Amino acid sequence: MKDLLVKQENKFIKKSNVIVRAVTNESAGIMTQRLFNFVMLSSLHKLDWNKHEKHKYLECWLSDFCRYYGITEKQLYDKVIHKNKDMTVIQKEIQILTQMQFFLFDETKDKFEFINLFLRGGNDQGKIYLEIHQSLIAEHYLNLKSDYTNIYLPYTKEVTTKYSMRLYEYLRSYLYMNAKTKWTPTYAHEWDFEKLSKILNLNLNSSYFKYISKLKNNILEPVKKDLLKTDIIFTYELIKVGRKYSKIILNTHLDLEKFNAQNPEFEKVPMKKEYVNKSKLTTSNFKKTKI
């Protein structure tokens, strides 16, 4: 079967930054994040939005997904225990995708609420299908003229942990780049551990924040190693307040050489005046962003 990712234009996923930066109701694993991106990439462009259909579905062959990521297809049919139920890996992933909610701010209602992008899904003889929430998919993946991020999927293929994938997309969303500019965008985030825990969907009382060596060795260092495979150059610094570590500074730079290698005409993001020089942005600028 012809690989849907052969075409250059099918290597990018455009996502609104509202979605990229949103907190979710549960932590999506690396398999879930890969499947989410792959099914979006494989079939979103094929939907006919001129047809007024009550239901619209995204679909992809599991064999294509496994071949792209070097996964043995049989692994998706291994039995696992998920939420106290016996099911296959692919059944578990579909359940997570259809139950995953994004915590967004609804301007019309002036309040935060959880939203679902996928209403239901299943696996029919090796093909995964997901019914989409049409207006939300159109808003956050299609009708985008500004404030969005292009994710270049080949750079995420070798990412090994869910935290790496989560932080890559989150941090990348702040590194806007116009293909014709010559300077390299940079951005420094300063978060307390409470914010870091929310972004990574970790319990603030977990051992990661009680034992700083565990946070470094199990999360931050693997993230740093993984992001070397992407178009982000990433460093971090842990900060003590008093005698206890409680803050982190994440310095991010766009690797211009890798960015240009993507065929950057697919990412011509209009530069906003306040982002002309990101190196001058302060922590107070970052705090204005609602997540």
Side-chain angles (χ1 to χ4, degrees):
M1 184 174 295
K2 188 176 180 180
D3 190 345
L4 293 171
L5 294 176
V6 170
K7 295 181 180 179
Q8 179 71 28
E9 63 268 23
N10 288 339
K11 292 183 180 180
F12 291 91
I13 308 170
K14 184 186 291 186
K15 299 183 180 184
S16 77
N17 287 335
V18 172
I19 283 289
V20 172
R21 299 169 189 167
V23 175
T24 54
N25 62 324
E26 60 180 297
S27 179
I30 186 67
M31 180 79 78
T32 308
Q33 293 179 73
R34 285 175 172 175
L35 191 59
F36 181 100
N37 284 340
F38 191 86
V39 71
M40 283 284 191
L41 192 70
S42 299
S43 57
L44 187 60
H45 68 284
K46 297 195 299 184
L47 293 179
D48 187 350
W49 291 89
N50 294 319
K51 285 186 179 180
H52 298 288
E53 301 168 307
K54 186 176 181 180
H55 306 286
K56 288 187 185 294
Y57 295 88
L58 298 179
E59 299 176 331
C60 78
W61 290 102
L62 292 178
S63 57
D64 286 344
F65 171 72
C66 291
R67 184 165 57 251
Y68 187 72
Y69 284 104
I71 301 169
T72 302
E73 192 170 351
K74 290 182 179 179
Q75 293 176 340
L76 297 180
Y77 296 95
D78 289 341
K79 289 292 185 71
V80 294
I81 302 296
H82 178 61
K83 296 187 176 179
N84 300 319
K85 292 182 180 179
D86 186 18
M87 60 181 69
T88 63
V89 171
I90 190 58
Q91 287 173 332
K92 167 194 163 188
E93 296 303 328
I94 292 170
Q95 181 177 345
I96 292 173
L97 284 172
T98 54
Q99 294 181 352
M100 189 164 64
Q101 298 175 313
F102 295 81
F103 193 41
L104 305 183
F105 182 70
D106 188 332
E107 294 182 355
T108 61
K109 299 177 182 178
D110 194 30
K111 66 178 182 181
F112 285 93
E113 63 182 11
F114 281 110
I115 65 165
N116 287 77
L117 294 178
F118 303 119
L119 304 178
R120 59 177 175 166
N123 174 29
D124 182 12
Q125 298 182 348
K127 178 182 282 188
I128 184 175
Y129 62 89
L130 295 164
E131 182 183 354
I132 63 172
H133 191 303
Q134 296 186 42
S135 63
L136 291 175
I137 291 292
E139 178 182 355
H140 294 294
Y141 287 88
L142 295 172
N143 302 330
L144 300 171
K145 295 183 179 179
S146 62
D147 201 27
Y148 65 83
T149 298
N150 270 340
I151 304 298
Y152 185 62
L153 206 64
Y155 282 163
T156 69
K157 280 181 65 174
E158 304 302 321
V159 169
T160 60
T161 77
K162 63 181 180 180
Y163 304 115
S164 298
M165 188 74 84
R166 169 63 175 150
L167 278 178
Y168 169 70
E169 293 195 359
Y170 192 99
L171 298 173
R172 183 66 177 81
S173 73
Y174 286 91
L175 297 174
Y176 297 101
M177 182 65 185
N178 185 296
K180 295 182 179 179
T181 57
K182 299 301 181 183
W183 51 268
T184 305
T186 65
Y187 203 97
H189 304 269
E190 182 177 336
W191 302 335
D192 55 31
F193 280 178
E194 182 178 4
K195 186 161 192 171
L196 178 64
S197 69
K198 287 180 180 178
I199 290 172
L200 295 181
N201 216 319
L202 287 168
N203 190 319
L204 186 59
N205 295 319
S206 71
S207 58
Y208 291 112
F209 299 104
K210 291 181 180 179
Y211 306 103
I212 203 67
S213 61
K214 190 172 182 180
L215 178 65
K216 289 177 63 176
N217 296 334
N218 293 10
I219 296 182
L220 296 176
E221 285 301 316
V223 167
K224 185 177 178 180
K225 184 177 180 180
D226 272 343
L227 294 194
L228 288 174
K229 306 163 189 174
T230 73
D231 54 357
I232 284 183
I233 299 171
F234 164 82
T235 60
Y236 69 90
E237 181 182 358
L238 293 165
I239 305 296
K240 279 185 176 180
V241 176
R243 299 175 61 184
K244 188 176 179 181
Y245 287 100
S246 62
K247 288 187 178 183
I248 185 171
I249 296 176
L250 301 95
N251 296 301
T252 54
H253 306 262
L254 189 63
D255 186 324
L256 193 54
E257 183 178 356
K258 287 187 177 180
F259 175 83
N260 288 335
Q262 298 175 23
N263 201 348
E265 60 264 31
F266 292 109
E267 186 167 287
K268 293 182 179 179
V269 181
M271 301 297 291
K272 297 180 180 180
K273 290 183 179 179
E274 61 266 34
Y275 294 132
V276 169
N277 189 341
K278 281 191 157 43
S279 62
K280 294 184 179 180
L281 290 181
T282 64
T283 304
S284 60
N285 294 108
F286 171 69
K287 289 180 178 178
K288 293 177 183 178
T289 304
K290 294 181 179 179
I291 59 171

